[in-house]
């Protein structure tokens, strides 16, 4: 009887792991799914779940009731997230072009705009389909963000330089055609530049790039407001510091091989610090615009610094495997707080995993449970 009970428990644990792996696969986390399937095959051989996991790994089929993942000729699953994401973005960009081109042509009436919307979406989708098939996730996100960022830069510099405004008019807005032309030129320039420079871009580099550009924009705008600069100088500060943040993020992502997870956790630290600064302003009420912006700027910067210090990549991870995959495979399950002798305190992502425990209160039987690691100390 004890052996039968243990067999049931083992099969149930393996089934839970396979179900978890299937969920990761559906969300596109193929490395995590692979690690979990391999763990099932290694730890629970002979169970039905192990047979399903082995079939997935060998490319012979998919778990029961599920559509097989897209696979390369060698049987390894292909990550199609870059393909899908780029098609979505190219469709949206096509719709923007469908409106921008009639505006640039100074079209009158609603018919040209209607035709632009009818043609822009399908054209953008087809163009994205042609170019997206060979794009990795990192390169897809880099190119799409470059197109969006270039469009924003075009609009911003049209305002900073008052393109098309009447001569001698201090508070006039730029001409509509000039602003649209600058936006189109900036977006296309961003797409082409990123397409040429992002061949080796990873998910982490893409995340660090767009997060760096957003933080640079905030520091440029907040600093210009704190210094009470005029409109043109404020636009220039926002755009230039934003570009500096984009370049710094791209260099940091590639130089330090940042993962997307760590880049977002660092950014989260800055976000917490920034809103903490807003809270300080609401409590202390500095009474000046400079103080209202200087405090959140300082706390944002401090939060980013704390985020850098408290986060780090998993050491010794196999090439191409994320820290989440390592955690799922059991190689290095991170806790919420991790400390090792001689190393700094690190904040991790506590991933729950199934286990079996002995409970004397249940007639001495073993039962399934979920383990959530909160603190891990090594001496």
């Amino acid at each position: 009887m004890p052996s039968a009970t243990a067999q049931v428990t083992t099969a149930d644990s393996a089934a839970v792991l396979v179900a978890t792996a299937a969920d990761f696969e559906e969300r596109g986390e193929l490395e995590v799914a692979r690690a979990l399937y391999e763990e099932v095959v290694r730890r629970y051989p002979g169970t039905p779940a192990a047979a399903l996991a082995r079939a997935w790994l060998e490319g012979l089929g998919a778990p029961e009731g599920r559509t097989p993942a897209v696979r390369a000729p060698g049987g390894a699953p292909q990550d199609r997230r870059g393909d899908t994401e780029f098609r979505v973005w190219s469709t949206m960009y096509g719709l923007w072009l469908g409106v921008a081109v009639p505006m640039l042509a100074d079209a009158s009436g609603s018919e040209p705009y209607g035709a632009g919307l009818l043609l822009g979406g399908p054209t953008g989708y087809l163009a994205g389909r042609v170019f997206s098939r060979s794009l990795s996730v990192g390169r897809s996100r880099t190119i799409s963000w470059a197109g969006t960022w270039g469009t924003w830069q075009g609009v911003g510099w049209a305002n900073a330089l008052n393109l098309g405004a009447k001569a001698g008019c201090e508070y006039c807005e730029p001409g509509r055609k000039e602003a649209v032309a600058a936006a189109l030129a900036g977006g296309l320039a961003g797409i082409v530049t990123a397409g040429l420079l992002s061949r080796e871009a990873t998910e982490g580099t893409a995340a660090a790039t767009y997060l760096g550009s957003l933080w640079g924009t905030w520091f440029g705008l907040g600093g210009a407001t704190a210094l009470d600069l005029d409109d043109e100088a404020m636009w220039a500060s926002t755009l230039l510091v934003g570009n500096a943040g984009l370049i710094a993020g791209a260099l940091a992502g590639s130089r330090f091989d940042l993962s997307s997870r760590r880049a977002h956790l660092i950014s989260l630290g800055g976000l917490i610090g920034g809103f903490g600064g807003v809270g300080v302003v609401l409590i202390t009420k500095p009474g000046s615009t400079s103080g209202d912006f200087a405090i959140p700027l300082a706390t944002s910067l401090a939060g980013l610094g704390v985020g850098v210090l408290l986060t780090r990549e998993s050491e010794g991870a196999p090439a191409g495997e994320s820290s989440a995959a390592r955690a799922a495979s059991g190689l290095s399950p991170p806790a919420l707080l991790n400390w090792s002798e001689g190393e700094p305190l690190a904040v991790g992502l506590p991933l729950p995993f199934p286990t079996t425990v002995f409970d004397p209160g249940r007639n001495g039987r073993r039962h399934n449970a979920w383990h959530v690691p909160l603190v891990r100390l090594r001496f």
Side-chain angles (χ1 to χ4, degrees), residues 54 62 66 71 73 79 102 106 108 135 165 183 203 221 237 256 279 296-297 321 327 336:
R54 190 177 295 107
R66 305 187 64 249
R71 299 177 185 276
D79 192 342
D106 206 13
S108 59
L135 295 181
E203 290 185 53
L221 175 61
S237 170
F256 299 105
L297 285 171
E321 182 174 306
L336 180 62

Side-chain angles (χ1 to χ4, degrees), residues 45-289:
T47 62
L52 292 175
R54 190 177 295 107
W56 188 95
L57 291 170
E58 294 175 355
L60 300 178
E64 183 178 354
R66 305 187 64 249
T67 303
V70 178
R71 299 177 185 276
Q78 289 181 333
D79 192 342
R80 299 299 297 274
R81 289 177 296 156
D83 183 7
T84 303
E85 290 180 13
F86 191 77
R87 292 190 196 188
V88 172
W89 179 83
S90 66
T91 301
M92 300 299 294
Y93 194 76
L95 291 171
W96 149 245
L97 291 179
V99 175
V101 171
M103 292 177 65
L104 188 61
D106 206 13
S108 59
S110 60
E111 292 82 0
Y113 296 95
L117 291 173
L118 285 173
L119 297 174
T123 302
Y125 174 81
L126 293 175
R129 183 180 180 183
V130 170
F131 294 104
S132 65
R133 295 180 180 178
S134 60
L135 295 181
S136 64
V137 178
R139 194 178 184 200
S140 169
R141 292 177 181 175
T142 301
I143 294 174
S144 58
W145 181 249
T148 304
W149 183 254
T151 302
W152 151 248
Q153 286 285 309
V155 173
W157 285 111
N159 281 273
L161 301 176
N162 276 327
L163 298 180
K166 295 180 180 179
C169 182
E170 184 177 357
Y171 298 103
C172 290
E173 296 182 354
R176 188 181 72 169
K177 289 180 62 175
E178 287 76 9
V180 172
L184 288 174
L188 295 175
I191 293 171
V192 173
T193 302
L196 296 174
L197 299 180
S198 65
R199 297 184 183 278
E200 303 298 328
T202 63
E203 290 185 53
T205 300
T209 300
Y210 86 80
L211 289 170
S213 65
L214 293 177
W215 280 110
T217 300
W218 156 239
F219 286 123
L221 175 61
T225 305
L227 296 174
D228 197 22
L229 302 181
D230 58 29
D231 288 347
E232 288 79 8
M234 182 176 296
W235 274 106
S237 170
T238 303
L239 297 167
L240 290 173
V241 181
N243 285 328
L246 181 141
I247 296 172
L251 293 176
S254 58
R255 172 65 177 82
F256 299 105
D257 195 22
L258 293 180
S259 67
S260 177
R261 172 181 173 273
R262 189 184 183 197
H264 282 90
L265 286 176
I266 293 172
S267 184
L268 180 61
L271 193 64
I272 293 173
F275 277 101
V278 173
V280 171
V281 169
L282 294 176
I283 294 173
T284 60
K285 299 178 181 178
S288 65
T289 302

